[in-house]
């Protein structure tokens, strides 16, 4: 085989690897879009509607809302808006004219949602372990936002991106929590035990995946 043939074969192989990597990246993005469409949007719409009084709350949430008529609706609405906005802000990361103002607005929703999560967790009649999970989730959410702001002010764009993706992972805890507790009802599992476990696992597992898989995070943040 001539040198030119070897070179041409190598180029073709490299091109195929690039195309395969691009296909895998596109597949990941499609999965993310499907999750957003099927899981995130309906849950957020219900949360916003419930927070605004347009959708009736379940009895236990109604009682919590009656004890904190401002904090609980503010938490539901702002947390849902943060969850809806997060994919948009990430998608606009290459367009600073959109990314920056949208990111600031997202930060406002996270601050309100995180700060209100703390007293709401304390006032809740949920099991103590579940309330602790919600409280720590709120603190982690706020800490990741603060760390992300500090990193971008130091112009550490890569760290900022990782921290914001971790913050989004914590935000999705609202989705996984509802899936886990809903599954417990369908399967007839001990509800209080699942509820408490979901209050921790719902946000800790996504956060652990993002932290343990930097390549996956880099792929999602790539062009």
């Amino acid at each position: 085989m001539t040198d030119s043939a070897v070179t041409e074969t190598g180029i073709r192989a490299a091109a195929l690897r690039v195309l395969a990597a691009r296909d895998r990246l596109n597949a990941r993005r499609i999965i993310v879009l499907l999750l957003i469409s099927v899981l995130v949007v309906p849950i957020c719409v219900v949360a916003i509607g419930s927070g605004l009084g347009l959708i009736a709350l379940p009895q236990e949430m109604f009682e919590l809302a009656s004890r904190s008529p401002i904090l609980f609706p503010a938490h539901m609405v702002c947390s849902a808006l943060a969850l809806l906005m997060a994919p948009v802000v990430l998608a606009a990361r290459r367009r600073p004219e959109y990314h920056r103002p949208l990111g600031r607005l997202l930060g406002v929703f996270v601050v309100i949602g995180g700060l209100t999560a703390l007293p709401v967790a304390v006032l809740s009649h949920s099991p103590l372990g579940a309330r602790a999970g919600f409280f720590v989730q709120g603190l982690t959410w706020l800490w990741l936002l603060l760390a992300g702001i500090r990193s971008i002010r130091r112009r550490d764009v890569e760290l900022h991106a990782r921290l914001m993706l971790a913050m989004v992972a914590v935000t999705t805890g609202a989705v996984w929590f509802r899936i886990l507790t809903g599954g417990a009802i369908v399967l007839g599992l001990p509800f209080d035990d699942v509820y408490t476990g979901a209050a921790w696992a719902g946000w800790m597992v996504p956060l652990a995946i993002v932290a343990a898989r930097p390549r996956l995070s880099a792929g999602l943040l790539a062009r």
Side-chain angles (χ1 to χ4, degrees), residues 136-157:
V136 176
Q137 181 184 11
L139 291 177
T140 304
W141 205 22
L142 292 169
W143 182 86
L144 287 168
L145 173 65
L146 178 60
I149 293 172
R150 293 179 61 186
S151 63
I152 199 60
R153 286 182 175 175
R154 296 197 302 267
R155 301 187 183 278
D156 191 340
V157 177

Side-chain angles (χ1 to χ4, degrees), residues 39-113:
L39 299 177
V40 174
V41 173
I43 288 175
C44 289
V45 169
V46 171
I48 293 171
S50 299
L52 295 176
L54 303 176
I55 299 176
L57 289 165
Q59 182 61 32
E60 63 277 7
M61 287 188 175
F62 178 80
E63 293 175 358
L64 178 57
S66 65
R67 290 195 300 275
S68 51
I70 296 177
L71 294 176
F72 185 66
H75 170 68
M76 291 192 69
V77 171
C78 290
S79 298
L81 289 173
L83 186 55
L84 281 176
M85 280 195 64
V88 179
V89 176
L90 290 175
R93 65 194 176 280
R94 305 293 181 182
R95 302 291 299 272
E97 68 273 24
Y98 300 126
H99 181 77
R100 288 170 183 167
L102 288 174
R104 293 187 182 104
L105 182 58
L106 172 62
V108 171
F109 289 139
V110 171
V111 168
I112 297 174

Side-chain angles (χ1 to χ4, degrees), residues 145-214:
L145 173 65
L146 178 60
I149 293 172
R150 293 179 61 186
S151 63
I152 199 60
R153 286 182 175 175
R154 296 197 302 267
R155 301 187 183 278
D156 191 340
V157 177
E158 182 178 350
L159 178 59
H160 172 75
R162 292 202 305 270
L163 287 167
M164 291 299 94
L165 197 58
M167 187 194 76
V168 173
V170 173
T171 310
T172 64
V175 176
W176 307 121
F177 171 80
R178 283 165 175 78
I179 291 175
L180 292 170
T181 52
I185 295 173
V186 172
L187 298 175
L189 300 175
F191 184 78
D192 284 350
D193 293 340
V194 175
Y195 189 94
T196 300
W200 290 92
W203 61 273
M204 289 186 70
V205 172
L207 177 60
I209 292 173
V210 169
R213 298 292 300 277

Side-chain angles (χ1 to χ4, degrees), residues 13-36:
L16 289 173
R17 287 195 295 270
V18 171
L19 289 174
R22 187 175 299 172
D23 288 341
R24 289 193 297 270
L25 177 58
N26 288 334
R28 291 170 184 167
R29 288 174 173 169
I30 290 172
I31 291 172
V32 171
L33 288 174
L34 286 174
L35 287 174
I36 292 171

